[in-house]
Amino acid sequence: MAAATEFDGLRVVLVAARNPLNIGAAARAMSNFGFPHLRVVNPYEAAFREARSAVGASALLASAEEYKTVADAVADCTLVVGTTAVRHRELQHPLRRLEFGTRLIRKQLGSGRVALLFGSEKFGLSNAALSHCHWLMRIPTCEANISMNLGQAVAVCLYEMVRDARAARSNEKIKRASSAELERVTTTLLEAMRASGYLDRRPIADVEERMRRLVRRLNLPSRDAVVWLGILRQIVWKLRSKGAIRTDSD
Amino acid sequence: MAAATEFDGLRVVLVAARNPLNIGAAARAMSNFGFPHLRVVNPYEAAFREARSAVGASALLASAEEYKTVADAVADCTLVVGTTAVRHRELQHPLRRLEFGTRLIRKQLGSGRVALLFGSEKFGLSNAALSHCHWLMRIPTCEANISMNLGQAVAVCLYEMVRDARAARSNEKIKRASSAELERVTTTLLEAMRASGYLDRRPIADVEERMRRLVRRLNLPSRDAVVWLGILRQIVWKLRSKGAIRTDSD
């Protein structure tokens, strides 16, 4: 993920949050994704800083800045973005989907502080709070249940901020078995099939080619190929040592 | 977002979850993002179905299927994916980042059911549970605090499943003001500046070009341009009716 310093300029602002457990959960998600700065406006519970839900984020919660008004909480920010579940509120605000909005936020973070506002659990952001926002952002939830839990909404928004588009294209670092390794597995499998008498009972046309393709379809990681080879060799050894030997020249 | 039917094949499987509030929160996130099928293996609290945290998802929670073992819970699935916070567990499992893993899951959902496993809040998935998985997936959290709340982890994973890559590129549907509208704003602004005597007190070289650029930089939505034009026209009318008139020919 991106370096934490990239997100030093973001202020997560919880406005009139009712449940201190949700404030703690928001702090935990911030800590998970590397956003250190929390601001709280008029929380319902003054003692929110002790919320046990802030697992691993007690320092972040302790250092949260408290404000009486949204205006004060966003005064030093050059971009203020409100979050909403509503799609067609009659407001004079552009409404952007999370996937696109976070791109604009990341861009703005290069030159100034950005406030990301979340409203209360029951009512979301008030019209007064929304009037401080440059634009709004929504998480693409289903029509049937658009309203998210506060802590979960914060987690999803911050995840989208740190999400790495390149990681979606490919993140495979597993070393696959080489053709030589796969060929050794194939050869030994064939030996085991012969030594076990399998091919006598169920003759297969073009058996080598068929088994070669069967083994390729396993798409084995290199280290797994080593394990399989070991197992098969042991089986072959045992089959042969038992006298149940059948050689190619039989 | 994608149609709900696309995700009918996914089973969210919570293994040995301790806190019923977290099961409810998981159900809520599933409902938010359109994943109807929850499975629960050996929950710590038998009465998890009453969890009040399942806001808007009580039906989903009521229809959750309960299992004694992971094997039973994933028996009908053709792909089983475990979630983990750990990066380098010594397991014989490929570990994929969420951004990439969800792509593989979506692909698999075209041909079979997929189980997405989440472990208990304290210990994650046990080695026994992990042994049922084809591969593991991790959310890209910070080293400093890798462990997420269960409900938040479910929300983030499901969000990534429904996330629309096209929406990240552009989601702008705001109709911007046309050049003609912007020119009317510019002209009326200049009238107001002249009628107010502003330009007499602070003469500006190339004033028309400068104001034209100033107005363009506002990047006005079309409907806002209409509002600004109305305000400026009223100002001009009032200035002129007060006899404070200064025409271009003065």
Side-chain angles (χ1 to χ4, degrees):
Chain A
M1 56 166 286
T5 48
E6 188 188 341
F7 302 117
D8 270 357
L10 194 97
R11 299 292 177 271
V12 173
V13 183
L14 305 182
V15 183
R18 293 185 67 82
N19 187 339
L21 289 176
N22 284 334
I23 302 180
R28 181 173 184 177
M30 292 174 65
S31 164
N32 287 143
F33 292 124
F35 295 81
H37 303 298
L38 174 63
R39 290 180 175 178
V40 173
V41 179
N42 274 338
Y44 192 77
E45 283 273 1
F48 70 87
R49 288 177 204 272
E50 285 106 65
R52 289 185 55 209
S53 53
V55 178
S58 50
L60 191 154
L61 192 56
S63 69
E65 298 170 310
E66 211 169 333
Y67 295 87
K68 289 278 179 211
T69 67
V70 172
D72 289 345
V74 304
D76 60 346
C77 296
T78 57
L79 173 63
V80 181
V81 178
T83 54
T84 179
V86 181
R87 277 163 177 66
H88 307 291
R89 209 193 279 247
E90 274 314 307
L91 288 163
Q92 308 298 312
H93 275 101
L95 177 61
R96 291 171 170 138
R97 263 179 73 129
L98 181 61
E99 297 93 326
F100 182 61
T102 49
R103 284 193 55 197
L104 301 182
I105 291 172
R106 287 175 70 154
K107 205 171 158 188
Q108 184 74 17
L109 282 172
S111 61
R113 285 186 180 168
V114 177
L116 183 56
L117 270 60
F118 295 86
S120 87
E121 294 88 337
K122 286 219 168 178
F123 311 107
L125 290 165
S126 67
N127 285 344
L130 288 169
S131 71
H132 291 277
C133 298
H134 291 88
W135 44 270
L136 305 182
M137 194 159 71
R138 72 173 181 88
I139 297 171
T141 46
C142 291
E143 285 294 341
N145 189 3
I146 61 171
S147 171
M148 288 191 73
N149 162 268
L150 178 55
Q152 289 174 314
V154 170
V156 167
C157 288
L158 298 186
Y159 165 69
E160 177 65 50
M161 292 283 300
V162 305
R163 185 184 183 279
D164 186 348
R166 286 165 304 181
R169 289 196 282 277
S170 171
N171 192 39
E172 295 295 59
K173 286 174 190 154
I174 302 151
K175 194 184 158 204
R176 296 283 153 192
S178 68
S179 292
E181 286 173 312
L182 294 177
E183 192 56 20
R184 280 195 289 277
V185 172
T186 308
T187 309
T188 317
L189 175 64
L190 283 162
E191 272 191 77
M193 290 168 79
R194 289 193 187 99
S196 69
Y198 181 100
L199 291 180
D200 293 329
R201 302 181 56 145
R202 304 178 192 74
I204 300 174
D206 306 319
V207 63
E208 284 197 20
E209 289 72 17
R210 282 171 185 266
M211 293 303 112
R212 184 171 289 117
R213 289 198 298 271
L214 183 81
V215 168
R216 265 55 175 186
R217 285 200 296 273
L218 296 175
N219 196 22
L220 285 176
S222 182
R223 62 179 183 185
D224 287 358
V226 174
V227 175
W228 281 110
L229 197 57
I231 293 168
L232 289 167
R233 279 181 174 154
Q234 176 65 24
I235 289 168
V236 170
W237 178 85
K238 191 68 178 178
L239 289 169
R240 293 206 192 283
S241 69
K242 275 192 175 278
I245 302 170
R246 187 181 179 282
T247 63
D248 286 352
S249 55
D250 283 3
Chain B
M1 57 164 285
T5 48
E6 187 188 342
F7 303 117
D8 270 357
L10 194 98
R11 298 293 178 271
V12 173
V13 183
L14 304 183
V15 184
R18 294 185 67 83
N19 187 340
L21 290 175
N22 284 334
I23 301 179
R28 180 175 185 175
M30 292 173 64
S31 165
N32 287 142
F33 292 124
F35 295 81
H37 303 298
L38 174 63
R39 290 181 176 179
V40 173
V41 179
N42 272 338
Y44 191 77
E45 284 273 0
F48 69 88
R49 290 178 202 270
E50 286 107 64
R52 290 184 55 208
S53 53
V55 178
S58 50
L60 191 154
L61 192 56
S63 69
E65 297 170 312
E66 210 169 334
Y67 294 88
K68 289 276 180 216
T69 67
V70 172
D72 289 343
V74 304
D76 60 349
C77 297
T78 57
L79 173 64
V80 181
V81 177
T83 54
T84 178
V86 181
R87 277 162 177 65
H88 308 289
R89 210 192 278 247
E90 274 314 306
L91 288 163
Q92 308 296 314
H93 276 101
L95 178 60
R96 290 171 172 139
R97 265 179 72 130
L98 181 60
E99 296 93 326
F100 183 61
T102 49
R103 285 192 55 197
L104 301 182
I105 291 172
R106 289 175 69 155
K107 203 171 159 189
Q108 184 73 18
L109 282 172
S111 61
R113 285 188 180 167
V114 177
L116 183 56
L117 270 61
F118 294 86
S120 86
E121 294 89 335
K122 286 217 171 183
F123 310 108
L125 290 165
S126 67
N127 285 345
L130 287 169
S131 71
H132 291 276
C133 298
H134 291 88
W135 45 269
L136 307 181
M137 192 159 72
R138 72 174 180 88
I139 297 172
T141 47
C142 290
E143 284 294 342
N145 189 4
I146 61 173
S147 171
M148 288 191 74
N149 162 267
L150 178 56
Q152 289 174 315
V154 171
V156 167
C157 288
L158 298 186
Y159 164 71
E160 177 65 49
M161 292 283 300
V162 304
R163 186 185 183 277
D164 185 348
R166 286 166 304 181
R169 287 197 282 278
S170 171
N171 192 39
E172 294 297 58
K173 285 173 191 155
I174 302 151
K175 194 184 159 208
R176 294 285 153 190
S178 68
S179 292
E181 286 173 311
L182 293 177
E183 192 57 18
R184 281 195 288 279
V185 172
T186 308
T187 307
T188 317
L189 175 64
L190 283 163
E191 272 191 78
M193 291 169 78
R194 288 194 187 99
S196 70
Y198 181 100
L199 291 180
D200 293 329
R201 302 180 55 148
R202 303 179 193 72
I204 299 173
D206 306 320
V207 63
E208 285 196 20
E209 290 73 17
R210 280 170 187 265
M211 293 305 110
R212 184 171 289 117
R213 288 197 299 270
L214 183 81
V215 169
R216 266 55 176 186
R217 284 199 297 272
L218 295 175
N219 196 22
L220 285 176
S222 180
R223 61 180 182 181
D224 286 358
V226 174
V227 175
W228 281 110
L229 197 58
I231 293 169
L232 289 167
R233 278 181 174 154
Q234 176 65 25
I235 289 168
V236 169
W237 178 83
K238 190 69 179 178
L239 289 168
R240 293 205 193 282
S241 69
K242 274 192 175 275
I245 302 168
R246 186 183 180 281
T247 66
D248 285 352
S249 55
D250 282 2

